[in-house]
Every structure is written in C-alpha cells, then in structure tokens.
Amino acid sequence: MSIKTMESMNFKTAKRAFVTRNVRISDAKGYRSDLKPRNGDLCVARVSKIGHHQRIEQPDGRRARMFPGDMIIVAYSNRYATDQFEGRVPDSVEPCSLVAAGGIAASLISRHSSTKKPTAIEPLGILCRADGSAMNVMDYALEQAAVGRAVRPHMALVVGSGMNAGKTTTVAAIIRAAKQAGLKVGAIKITGTGAGGDLWFYKDSGAKVTIDFTDAGHAATVGLTLAQLETIAQKLYAEASKTCDIIIAEIADGLFQTETDLLMKSPRFQAMVDSVLFASGDPMGALAGVRHIRALGLIPSAISGALTASDLAAKEAAKATGLPALTLSEFAQNEQVLSTIMKPARIAKTPVSVETVEGFGLAREYSDDSRFTAAS
C-alpha cells in the first residue's frame, strides 16, 4: 500500500465537484493510485485537455471554469445520457474523461454525434483516509429512516418519454401549484447523474425539501440494481416526509432507460406511488407512454411536458390519450389542477400479463382472452 500525502499536490486549490458535496473532505489524508476504482470512489485528477465540459459544477452550484493543469476532485461513476455521453467506471487509475459537469469521471464508451469530445483528465489517485481506505460518496449517505407520521404524505411521480421531455419543468410547476395551495412540498429526484440544476430549480420553485440520489450515496444511478434503486426511493421519501405534506418525485431519462424500467415494474416501488404524471415532447410519445404505464398497472392522471409548448400538440395528445394535457399556464391559474394531478394511480387489482412488443420494447396489456387491449 502506497499512500501519497496531500503535500505532494496543491490540494487546497483543487476544484471540488457537486457530487462530492456531502463528503467531509477533511477526512482525506492522502490518495492512492494502486486501488481499483469503484462506483462512487472519490478521485483527485488533473485536467489535461478541455473538451465538451469547460466548467465544473461546485457544491454551491457555481460553475467554475477549468483550465489545463487544474486539479479537480470528482467521483468515479457510470454515465448514461442519450444526448451526451455513455461512460463506465474504469478498471484502474488511468487517464479517462469528465463525462458530466457535476463531477463524473469515467471511461468513454460513446457520445452523441453533436457533442464534442469530453474533457480529458488524468487521475492521480483515489482519496483515502489515514488507514488507506478509499473514500466513497456512499460513506456520507443519508441513514435509512422510517416514515414516522400517522398520515403518509402523497407522492406524485413525474416520469417521461426521454431526456428533455420537460420532466423537471413539470415538477417545478407542480411544486408552485402545491405551495400556492398552502402545502409544504418536498421534491426528490430518484435517478440520474449528479448535478445541481434540478435541485436548484425545485428549491427556487418553493420546495421545502430538495434532495436526490446523491444524498442517498450515489454519484449516478446507471448500473444500480433494483434493490439499490428501491432503497434510494425509500430513503429520499422518508427524509422528505418528515416535514412535507406532499412529495413530488422525478425519475430521470425515459421509460426504456434500464433503471427507470426496473423501478416502474417494481411492485415495491409502485406501492409508494400515489399518482403519476407523464411528460413527453410529442403526442405520439405521450400516447405510447400512457399505454406503457397502464400496461404496468398504473393509471396516469395527466400528461404534460415539452409538447404543451404547442397548443395544437397539447390538443392532439389530450385527444389521443383521453387525459388532460396540462400547460404551464394551467398549472399556475387552474385552482383544480392539484386535484387533477393527485388523481390516484390505481394499481390494477389483478396484475395484467405484460410482455414486450418485439422490436419496440413497449409493454402491452392482454385481457383474459389474450387479445391486445389499447390502454387509452
């Protein structure tokens, strides 16, 4: 075991990333290059070449500009972003990439054709304590807590067709509507890649509690098991339920993203969900998403998202799905919008047989005589 002390680098000037915000950095007594990186391990690295990410988001939300030669403190993790990068935790402390501004170090697998090459970094080693043990974001996670209230706060889930479908904007609109109604609102993000933007949006919209998967000990959630995902959801819900009347939960990416798919099919997670609102960028995506969710045993209360920027698209989606398409103005001006949003996502009394349509990945629902039933 070879521990290099902080005196061998200008540690105090290192730019610390958002995903490390819960870490007690004073615990770091050195760094090691002989360890195999694990998901969530803290890494001290030197910026070698600026690429797509020119700034690193710091714990307070400030995006600090980076320059070649800068030292940064980030976390190893996987990345899944259809409009940016796909990355995985490398097998050793070796040159890799900064694949997310919130501070994710990974080996690049693929990138969107419109995205520049990622910023290249040279990890010096994994931060460690005096005994040589690696520091990991999980070491500073929220403790598992029970929901200690007689009345369980309502949890409204916002899920979408994919990235940039308008999920976070929808969450923020629900927060404002609930606050206007006099409720104490909690906003939680269960899956995604560590970054502060969504949390700041929740907070600025009036949420009393704003926490995400990084508070549960994960720099990112891609590659986690269903048990880990369920634990994140339970931890965040329990924490927010301590002081909030209603909790708005967001799941990142789209229904076909692996971790989203796992959660949406989980009876344990479904039991936590009181209502579901689906966000989409277009009417066809809205129809497919609503049918998919219904086939999984949940009934969406409404649709929203980027498609509502167009009155015509909103009308098309409402007609196709049979659900209200809520625009931002309706969230702000309709006094009944909360009752619409909170319409129960009744779990089917008799679970339907859900299969996958070959070539599309869509869940489809069968009636007792095994004929396809359009869930609209």
Side-chain angles (χ1 to χ4, degrees):
M1 179 175 67
S2 176
I3 301 177
K4 295 182 180 179
T5 63
M6 297 307 181
E7 284 71 25
S8 63
M9 57 167 281
N10 195 357
F11 183 72
K12 291 183 179 180
T13 65
K15 295 170 180 175
R16 182 177 166 187
F18 174 84
V19 297
T20 73
R21 76 189 193 286
N22 294 319
V23 173
R24 190 167 55 249
I25 206 66
S26 60
D27 290 349
K29 303 305 179 185
Y31 59 94
R32 295 176 58 182
S33 59
D34 59 333
L35 296 173
K36 180 177 180 178
R38 300 170 303 161
N39 201 357
D41 280 347
L42 269 67
C43 165
V44 58
R46 180 182 294 108
V47 176
S48 55
K49 186 176 182 180
I50 299 297
H52 179 77
H53 291 108
Q54 301 180 26
R55 300 172 185 267
I56 187 168
E57 183 178 14
Q58 298 182 300
D60 62 359
R62 179 176 176 270
R63 289 183 172 251
R65 189 176 293 278
M66 294 182 292
F67 300 92
D70 280 357
M71 303 304 298
I72 57 176
I73 299 174
V74 294
Y76 284 113
S77 194
N78 301 313
R79 176 86 205 268
Y80 181 102
T82 54
D83 64 356
Q84 281 195 22
F85 303 114
E86 177 188 12
R88 63 170 177 79
V89 177
D91 294 327
S92 62
V93 176
E94 59 190 24
C96 59
S97 302
L98 182 70
V99 295
I104 301 298
S107 294
L108 181 68
I109 297 174
S110 67
R111 63 185 172 97
H112 192 281
S113 61
S114 66
T115 303
K116 296 179 180 178
K117 291 182 179 180
T119 290
I121 62 175
E122 299 176 3
L124 277 68
I126 295 170
L127 291 185
C128 61
R129 301 176 183 83
D131 63 0
S133 61
M135 293 176 61
N136 191 288
V137 292
M138 180 57 73
D139 301 333
Y140 304 87
L142 287 169
E143 295 293 333
Q144 182 72 57
V147 179
R149 297 176 63 182
V151 178
R152 177 182 175 276
H154 181 101
M155 187 171 95
L157 175 68
V158 176
V159 66
S161 57
M163 292 187 71
N164 303 314
K167 298 184 295 297
T168 304
T169 300
T170 299
V171 170
I174 299 173
I175 291 170
R176 292 194 296 274
K179 186 181 179 183
Q180 184 66 28
L183 299 176
K184 296 177 182 177
V185 190
I188 63 177
K189 187 169 183 181
I190 299 171
T191 65
T193 300
D198 291 352
L199 293 182
W200 312 138
F201 199 175
Y202 299 163
K203 185 175 182 178
D204 291 344
S205 299
K208 178 180 177 66
V209 175
T210 58
I211 48 178
D212 70 0
F213 50 89
T214 62
D215 295 292
H218 299 277
T221 57
V222 62
L224 299 187
T225 66
L226 174 58
Q228 289 174 310
L229 296 168
E230 290 172 337
T231 297
I232 291 171
Q234 291 168 340
K235 278 187 175 183
L236 299 182
Y237 177 84
E239 185 68 20
S241 72
K242 292 177 181 178
T243 55
C244 297
D245 304 313
I246 184 172
I247 297 167
I248 319 302
E250 178 180 353
I251 299 180
D253 302 304
L255 287 172
F256 297 160
Q257 199 269 348
T258 300
E259 287 68 43
T260 298
D261 184 54
L262 285 172
L263 277 174
M264 293 299 291
K265 290 177 178 175
S266 163
R268 190 176 179 187
F269 179 69
Q270 285 193 6
M272 295 179 61
V273 176
D274 296 302
S275 61
V276 179
L277 195 147
F278 187 72
S280 178
D282 62 86
M284 181 62 78
L287 176 59
V290 167
R291 286 181 170 176
H292 185 82
I293 293 170
R294 290 186 59 138
L296 296 177
L298 295 170
I299 302 175
S301 60
I303 53 176
S304 190
L307 68 84
T308 62
S310 164
D311 287 342
L312 289 176
K315 290 176 182 177
E316 285 183 6
K319 182 178 180 181
T321 63
L323 296 174
L326 301 176
T327 65
L328 292 181
S329 61
E330 286 176 299
F331 278 112
Q333 301 170 11
N334 184 353
E335 293 182 356
Q336 303 302 315
V337 72
L338 266 188
S339 61
T340 297
I341 294 166
M342 295 172 69
K343 183 178 179 181
R346 296 181 297 277
I347 298 175
K349 293 181 180 179
T350 303
V352 296
S353 174
V354 178
E355 295 187 6
T356 300
V357 180
E358 185 176 356
F360 291 92
L362 293 171
R364 63 181 180 182
E365 178 182 339
Y366 289 87
S367 61
D368 291 339
D369 60 359
S370 296
R371 292 179 300 179
F372 176 72
T373 303
S376 63

